[in-house]
Amino acid sequence: LFSTVTIFGSLHKYKNNLCFHFTDIDNSGYVSDYELQDLFKEASLPLPGYKVREIVEKIIAVTDSNKDGRINFEEFVSIIQELKSKDVSKSFRKSINKKQGITAIGGTSAISSEGTQHSYSEEEKVAFVKWINKALEDDPDCKHLLPMNPSDASLFKSLADGILLCKMINFSQPDTIDERAINKKKLTPFTVSENLNLALNSASAIGCTVVNIGSQDLQEGKPHLVLGLLWQIIKVGLFADIEISRNEALIALLNEGEELDQLMKLSPEELLLRWVNYHLANAGWQKISNFSQDIKDSRAYYHLLNQIAPKGDGFDELPIKIDFSGFHDKNDLRRAEYMLQQADKLGCRQFVTPADVVSGNPKLNLAFVANLFNTYPALHKPDNSSYDLNLLEGESKEERTFRNWMNSLGVSPYVNHLYSDLSDALIIFQLYDMTRVPVDWNHVNKPPYPLLGGNMRKIENCNYAVELGKTKAKFSLVGIAGHDLNEGNPTLTLALVWQLMRRYTLNVLSDLGEGEKVNDEIIIKWVNQTLAKANKKTSITSFKDKSISTSLPVLDLIDAIAPKAVRPEMVKREDLSYEDKLNNAKYAISVARKIGARIYALPDDLVEVKPKMVMTVFACLMGRGLNKVK
């Protein structure tokens, strides 16, 4: 541990929350080895990857109190607490308060009394306020809250009633929340709490990690938590169409000799980088490899804007000329301002200020580029391509549900593609940990994998994952082998993932029932007893019961658990068309989330009576009902 002490001792201006804030780039709530590597570079201590991984392993060995194999905020703080003197702690607090663009908040958590502070980025706050102001400017339900002032703390107050958060979730992922479930008038502390529950559980359902955030945190406007959640919600919207199945023109980004399935494995961030470099190559400008160091002089941005600006070729398309007169300005900040004036011509000045460009803020520059792509992709699908059209089908709703569930639990790295991102089984091992299947992490091969024999190491992981599923978790994995997971066999991979999700859901119920084992029969019995006790006429015989397609058993169960949560006038009970059933299902899922049930299922799952997802809906509601009794 001596080398760790030495390294952390040098990080005078990067301590505790500031460390964590800067280091946790993807806002997952955990620090990974590549994020620590960036931190060491910032502190003028560049270290090779293997050295960082050694340090991570040492930190985990010493401080991983919950034994989940990752470093969360409290564990990160605890090691720094041990390694620094009180004098260093004082000097850190002075430096964090002086650091431009960082606002420090004292005493916002139980650990604050030990000398830590939460910090947040002023730049992010300003960027998010402007984005929300623009996104929701015409929404009548937000007139009392908008526009917010970017230069004060109005963001944190404006989000406190939950309405803006719900609206932003629907802006990023339309139809996630049924607007009828949002409490909009005559708000009380209780109805505000319902709105915030609805927002948090809906954010979780679209893949945001919300494991460490409660409605109380949002009501109190804790800045670091609010901004972390907001960034995840905004990013979901920005990245929604940066996917080949939804935007086939991205096929133009294929490299020479590259197969389409390789391009489809790239994350949205990697596709954006590929997109920028595609246009820079056409401009005869050098490539970039990141959205921080390489864009600080704004010159790559100038060329990108010039390439994507409309040329007036299309019908009714007016040309937009990019003025290069500021390109050679010797002052970086002025050059960035001139560049942003050109971006403004395209209606894309959002997310960054000149200072954000020059400082190389990776998060805000990524958002700036994503917004450019969404507005002017300037790509054309190759005419003569001979690619497999089956690859372009995109993920099914079931696959997206599973992926969002994983991401909401904070797995690392983020799962962008269900099958390719599970090919080394690391995500599966994390899910085993979360579902109390013991994993021997010494038995797991970890990245980076060598070029030679790398895939064999991934297959070894997959073999171990299948073995654990069969022996420890007692899953039904007949005919499933490690290479099926490695190759991304959809049917067999989903069979394992479903059993993980089921185990996770039943564990929650078992905990509420003092450890009593829960199965389908117990859930069905509880549902029917609860309905009968509340004098409801509905009941279910199984999770395949046709009456579930109306969502009436679900709505009645919600009403039995939380009287007055369901507004009767919103529910249609007779002569139901498909549209009526869908409307009932949308309302049922949103109200269930509003009363505190973390439901991942979609309205279609109820209407089409998909038994697996139906089970999770009733199980989550049972969990909410048992929690109420306790």
Side-chain angles (χ1 to χ4, degrees):
L1 195 62
F2 180 73
S3 59
T4 314
V5 176
T6 310
I7 288 162
F8 274 109
S10 306
L11 301 176
H12 291 303
K13 60 179 182 171
Y14 292 92
K15 297 293 185 197
N16 300 353
N17 302 299
L18 182 56
C19 257
F20 196 87
H21 172 81
F22 276 123
T23 313
D24 184 21
I25 295 165
D26 60 5
N27 268 319
S28 66
Y30 300 92
V31 173
S32 63
D33 51 6
Y34 75 87
E35 290 171 330
L36 271 179
Q37 198 166 4
D38 282 352
L39 174 68
F40 292 138
K41 279 180 195 164
E42 282 282 350
S44 304
L45 286 162
L47 292 172
Y50 77 91
K51 196 73 186 164
V52 176
R53 280 188 298 281
E54 278 178 18
I55 290 167
V56 172
E57 282 168 16
K58 285 173 184 172
I59 294 173
I60 287 173
V62 174
T63 64
D64 186 19
S65 53
N66 58 6
K67 303 299 176 199
D68 65 350
R70 297 173 297 178
I71 308 168
N72 65 23
F73 173 73
E74 313 297 353
E75 290 164 351
F76 189 80
V77 168
S78 72
I79 190 163
I80 297 180
Q81 290 284 93
E82 286 174 27
L83 298 178
K84 70 188 181 185
S85 69
K86 287 185 180 175
D87 290 339
V88 173
S89 177
K90 282 177 191 166
S91 67
F92 164 63
R93 282 205 299 277
K94 282 179 190 165
S95 67
I96 192 174
N97 286 325
K98 280 183 191 168
K99 189 164 175 65
Q100 192 177 6
I102 294 291
T103 306
I105 318 268
T108 55
S109 77
I111 204 165
S112 298
S113 57
E114 296 175 33
T116 67
Q117 289 186 315
H118 285 288
S119 60
Y120 69 90
S121 158
E122 196 69 28
E123 292 88 353
E124 283 174 31
K125 184 201 75 177
V126 170
F128 297 168
V129 165
K130 289 179 178 176
W131 182 249
I132 295 169
N133 282 345
K134 186 170 186 292
L136 303 177
E137 63 185 347
D138 297 324
D139 192 316
D141 296 326
C142 300
K143 292 291 183 200
H144 65 297
L145 299 167
L146 300 180
M148 295 176 283
N149 184 347
S151 59
D152 63 21
S154 59
L155 169 68
F156 308 115
K157 290 176 189 149
S158 299
L159 289 177
D161 67 9
I163 294 175
L164 272 188
L165 273 175
C166 289
K167 296 285 187 173
M168 280 307 295
I169 288 167
N170 274 352
F171 180 78
S172 284
Q173 195 84 291
D175 293 328
T176 300
I177 295 174
D178 187 328
E179 291 260 341
R180 295 173 296 171
I182 304 173
N183 300 317
K184 297 173 183 174
K185 292 176 182 171
K186 296 179 182 174
L187 295 177
T188 65
F190 178 73
T191 54
V192 163
S193 182
E194 282 190 326
N195 280 349
L196 292 168
N197 280 333
L198 175 57
L200 281 171
N201 289 324
S202 301
S204 182
I206 63 171
C208 300
T209 306
V210 297
V211 283
N212 296 318
I213 311 173
S215 59
Q216 192 64 31
D217 297 318
L218 299 177
Q219 220 164 334
E220 291 170 11
K222 292 184 178 175
H224 62 295
L225 294 176
V226 168
L227 292 178
L229 178 61
L230 261 184
W231 167 238
Q232 291 185 80
I233 293 167
I234 289 169
K235 194 163 69 163
V236 165
L238 288 173
F239 285 2
D241 290 327
I242 307 174
E243 184 195 323
I244 294 168
S245 62
R246 296 180 72 159
N247 192 337
E248 290 184 24
L250 284 162
I251 294 169
L253 303 181
L254 270 169
N255 286 333
E256 192 72 37
E258 186 178 35
E259 294 293 327
L260 180 58
D261 65 330
Q262 292 302 114
L263 188 68
M264 294 194 73
K265 287 176 184 176
L266 297 184
S267 68
E269 292 93 333
E270 290 166 327
L271 280 171
L272 278 177
L273 202 56
R274 181 82 68 99
W275 173 71
V276 172
N277 285 328
Y278 168 87
H279 286 301
L280 292 181
N282 289 340
W285 193 254
Q286 67 259 33
K287 289 184 175 184
I288 64 169
S289 58
N290 54 61
F291 294 118
S292 49
Q293 195 65 36
D294 292 0
I295 49 80
K296 286 183 173 184
D297 65 3
S298 301
R299 293 193 168 107
Y301 281 159
Y302 261 109
H303 285 292
L304 174 63
L305 293 171
N306 194 42
Q307 288 295 312
I308 66 174
K311 305 294 184 285
D313 304 333
F315 179 71
D316 273 354
E317 182 187 79
L318 293 172
I320 297 176
K321 183 169 173 52
I322 300 301
D323 181 359
F324 267 69
S325 59
F327 184 85
H328 297 291
D329 195 293
K330 290 192 171 125
N331 181 286
D332 283 349
L333 272 173
R334 268 204 312 269
R335 192 185 317 113
E337 171 55 34
Y338 293 144
M339 179 276 294
L340 287 174
Q341 286 172 13
Q342 303 312 303
D344 202 19
K345 292 180 182 177
L346 304 181
C348 293
R349 194 179 169 142
Q350 285 80 16
F351 291 111
V352 289
T353 63
D356 298 328
V357 175
V358 173
S359 69
N361 184 313
K363 192 182 289 183
L364 297 181
N365 279 283
L366 175 67
F368 172 67
V369 172
N371 189 43
L372 281 173
F373 173 86
N374 289 328
T375 314
Y376 290 103
L379 291 174
H380 303 286
K381 190 173 76 170
D383 298 325
N384 56 350
S385 294
S386 55
Y387 43 80
D388 184 357
L389 289 174
N390 292 324
L391 287 172
L392 299 177
E393 282 181 8
E395 65 183 353
S396 68
K397 288 177 178 176
E398 182 185 30
E399 289 162 349
R400 186 164 76 246
T401 299
F402 286 139
R403 194 170 58 77
N404 287 339
W405 167 67
M406 294 173 187
N407 287 326
S408 75
L409 297 177
V411 295
S412 180
Y414 189 89
V415 181
N416 291 295
H417 310 292
L418 188 62
Y419 304 113
S420 57
D421 290 356
L422 266 55
S423 66
D424 65 356
L426 284 186
I427 300 293
I428 292 169
F429 292 133
Q430 291 172 52
L431 294 170
Y432 276 146
D433 262 354
M434 293 174 195
T435 53
R436 297 173 209 152
V437 177
V439 177
D440 178 0
W441 285 94
N442 293 323
H443 199 75
V444 176
N445 298 316
K446 301 175 187 73
Y449 303 105
L451 284 175
L452 277 174
N455 200 50
M456 185 51 67
R457 296 204 179 177
K458 293 180 182 181
I459 291 173
E460 286 171 1
N461 281 356
C462 292
N463 286 336
Y464 180 44
V466 172
E467 180 196 325
L468 283 177
K470 287 177 178 175
T471 59
K472 303 289 186 188
K474 300 290 188 280
F475 288 164
S476 172
L477 299 175
V478 180
I480 300 181
H483 66 82
D484 296 314
L485 298 181
N486 177 256
E487 292 166 7
N489 178 304
T491 306
L492 300 179
T493 303
L494 288 178
L496 173 59
V497 170
W498 157 244
Q499 290 178 81
L500 276 163
M501 187 181 196
R502 175 184 167 81
R503 183 184 173 98
Y504 179 85
T505 306
L506 295 181
N507 277 354
V508 173
L509 278 182
S510 182
D511 290 347
L512 289 167
E514 273 83 41
E516 183 190 341
K517 290 287 179 198
V518 179
N519 57 29
D520 290 8
E521 288 71 33
I522 289 172
I523 297 170
I524 291 166
K525 185 180 176 185
W526 181 89
V527 168
N528 287 329
Q529 284 177 345
T530 307
L531 287 168
K533 217 178 280 183
N535 299 316
K536 302 295 182 185
K537 291 175 184 170
T538 50
S539 64
I540 59 170
T541 54
S542 72
F543 297 132
K544 295 178 182 175
D545 194 311
K546 291 279 190 289
S547 70
I548 294 167
S549 71
T550 66
S551 294
L552 296 177
V554 179
L555 286 157
D556 284 348
L557 185 61
I558 293 168
D559 190 58
I561 296 166
K564 297 186 180 173
V566 176
R567 288 162 58 198
E569 71 273 18
M570 296 297 171
V571 181
K572 182 144 189 207
R573 289 189 170 266
E574 291 169 1
D575 304 322
L576 300 181
S577 65
Y578 177 82
E579 200 61 38
D580 294 330
K581 289 180 177 181
L582 195 58
N583 279 335
N584 276 0
K586 286 177 181 174
Y587 186 59
I589 284 175
S590 283
V591 178
R593 288 174 181 157
K594 174 171 153 179
I595 67 165
R598 186 149 292 173
I599 287 174
Y600 294 90
L602 299 167
D604 306 57
D605 296 327
L606 290 178
V607 176
E608 294 163 27
V609 195
K610 293 185 176 169
K612 290 176 181 175
M613 288 299 150
V614 165
M615 187 282 279
T616 65
V617 171
F618 283 114
C620 288
L621 285 170
M622 181 177 172
R624 173 65 180 79
L626 291 176
N627 213 12
K628 177 187 169 190
V629 172
K630 291 188 91 175

